[in-house]
Amino acid sequence: MALNQSGWRPTTPEAGSNAAPTFTGNKALMLEEALIFEIGSTDTTGVEVAAPVTSASRLGALARTAPIGLPGLSEPETIRHYTRLSRQNYAIDLGLFPLGSCTMKHNPRLNEKMARLPGFADVHPLQPVDTVQGALGVINELAFWLIDLTGMHGVAMSPKAGAHGELCGMLCIKAALEKRGEGHRKVVLVPESAHGTNPATAAFAGFTVEDIPATAGGRVDTEALKARLGPDVAAVMITNPNTCGLFERDLKAISDAVHAAGGYVYCDGANFNAIVGRVRPGDLGIDAMHINLHKTFSTPHGGGGPGSGPTVLSEALAPFGPLPFTARMKDGHIALIEEETAGDDHPDTFGRMTAFHGQMGMFTRALTYILSHGADGLRQVAEDAVLNANYVLRSLEDTLDAPFAFAGPCMHEAIFSDEGFPEGFSTIDVAKALIDEGFHPMTMYFPLVVHGAMLIEPTETESKAALDQFIGALRSVAERAKAGDASLKTAPHFAPRSRLDETLAARKPKLVWREPVVASEAAE
Ligand SMILES: *Cc1c(COP(=O)(O)O)cnc(C)c1O
């Protein structure tokens, strides 16, 4: 698109509107924003620094010979640039974020207030332990809650995301097998209904991954899994509730069979939001499970924001867990167990996963969330999350194909397919039209076992009114898709940019900005 003189892109009103295009390209409060390179010039700067007292440069051949080419902007220009860009984004504070598997829920402001207390926000990981007893106390108390809520034996607090927690659990399993002299067990069984990070983690940890099929009802095929157990199987990795939004009812029987065959059970606990306070994974025979603090226990995430994936461990695996960990001593003081050589009480640890102690800010937020809900409040979180998802499922199953609805209620996620859409229409058209309706799209084409999957997780923090509006929007869009409404193919129409070629953008990203050649110069 051509830039006009002032650097702005002209905009054309929606078809059918009799408004003239605006000079600026802005559409009222929807402000166009050019790249920072297009609005800033290299000879401007927001700061004025006194010229340095000249001294001989010691850079030698490394001294820069050409300008660096960074755009310069004044402070107000900089603030406006980034504020304008931020307004083109979607956020949980703007509206419902139905991304299945991500648990995008409200982040209570109280969490933020606590995390910003200087005693937590300003501590340094290398401070002497005596000066950070409060912060260590938070880690220790949160660890107790996680152990209590899951019915497990121990917890590794340092993993920094869900997938990192998976790695922690699998490294514990590897260390336990080696200690038993059974390091030859290399196969990890992963059901089709597991999250994609599971096979990736198993492979990364040096195991060989084998798929276990799902039943038509969307759950693990227990018989197929049992039949595959044997002396080469190290572990199974099961997501529960699984990515079809269903509870794996046979998990206890599966764990018993896996243990009898000498293997371990890893449970992907990212969906703990649906069962917290209702089910203790330890009672299901699980050996290791990560918890996404940034999902179940709120705390902001997305856009690469911080995560935290503490991994709870069974009695069998706890001795192999990573350092460091906290321990409350008899005198009430909290010790940080950091050194592999510190004593003989943890000789089997597989080592360390992070430089320091984990995501302190996330610990503070998660503990605040837990304490402000209390045990009964946490149970209600799970109940309301499941209720909301079932409300979405039952409200839309007459319009959208719901492949597992026959099997009974779902957990915290409702799943639909693109079955019944006319030729040429798919889930992406529905998702893009939802943007025009003011919603972030749902998770698309995942899980893979459902054709054109739409995975919707409303979470417990949405009101019935908000759900009704979303359901109304999705119903309207789905009906347009089923009627073959061609305008869906180019949606979104009201977003700052219309349908993009996402494949091209992902495969051939343009990461370098080049100054456009001005036509008059090019002609010279
Ligand atoms: C989010 C998620 C993960 C990965 O967690 P990250 O924190 O993104 O690494 C793993 N499994 C399931 C089921 C998830 O929903």
Side-chain angles (χ1 to χ4, degrees), residues 203-227:
F204 188 74
F207 294 103
T208 315
V209 177
E210 282 186 28
D211 274 353
I212 298 292
T215 63
R219 292 185 169 87
V220 183
D221 184 336
T222 308
E223 291 317 311
L225 186 144
K226 283 184 181 165

Side-chain angles (χ1 to χ4, degrees), residues 477-491:
V477 170
E479 278 166 358
R480 283 167 61 200
K482 284 165 77 177
D485 177 348
S487 74
L488 279 187
K489 298 298 303 173
T490 46

Side-chain angles (χ1 to χ4, degrees), residues 429-516:
D429 305 312
V430 170
K432 295 299 178 190
L434 267 184
I435 296 176
D436 279 339
E437 296 286 352
F439 290 105
H440 191 286
M442 68 301 254
T443 293
M444 297 183 285
Y445 303 109
F446 177 82
L448 303 177
V449 288
V450 171
H451 194 268
M454 298 173 222
L455 188 63
I456 297 170
E457 180 177 5
T459 84
E460 71 283 1
T461 53
E462 297 303 331
S463 66
K464 179 169 179 295
L467 292 181
D468 283 337
Q469 198 195 27
F470 174 73
I471 289 164
L474 185 49
R475 173 187 299 281
S476 149
V477 170
E479 278 166 358
R480 283 167 61 200
K482 284 165 77 177
D485 177 348
S487 74
L488 279 187
K489 298 298 303 173
T490 46
H493 301 280
F494 302 127
R497 294 293 174 273
S498 192
R499 183 81 63 107
L500 304 175
D501 186 339
E502 289 168 4
T503 314
L504 190 67
R507 296 258 163 90
K508 296 189 177 161
K510 281 194 186 161
L511 303 175
V512 178
W513 179 79
R514 288 186 207 293
E515 201 157 351

Side-chain angles (χ1 to χ4, degrees), residues 100-103 160-164 166 194-198 239 241 243 268-271 290 292 294-295 307-309 413 446:
S101 212
C102 294
T103 313
K160 293 199 170 178
H164 204 208
E166 290 173 30
H195 193 260
T197 46
N198 295 186
T239 305
T243 52
D268 179 330
N271 295 333
H290 74 268
N292 296 53
H294 50 289
K295 292 178 182 171
S308 184
E413 298 173 309
F446 177 82

Side-chain angles (χ1 to χ4, degrees), residues 36-55:
I36 197 167
F37 289 93
E38 292 166 342
I39 55 179
S41 75
T42 49
D43 43 359
T44 316
T45 167
V47 285
E48 211 172 322
V49 190
V53 182
T54 327
S55 58

Side-chain angles (χ1 to χ4, degrees), residues 180-193:
R180 262 167 43 188
E182 294 192 46
H184 58 269
R185 286 180 179 259
K186 283 281 179 237
V187 176
V188 170
L189 306 178
V190 181
E192 278 176 358
S193 53

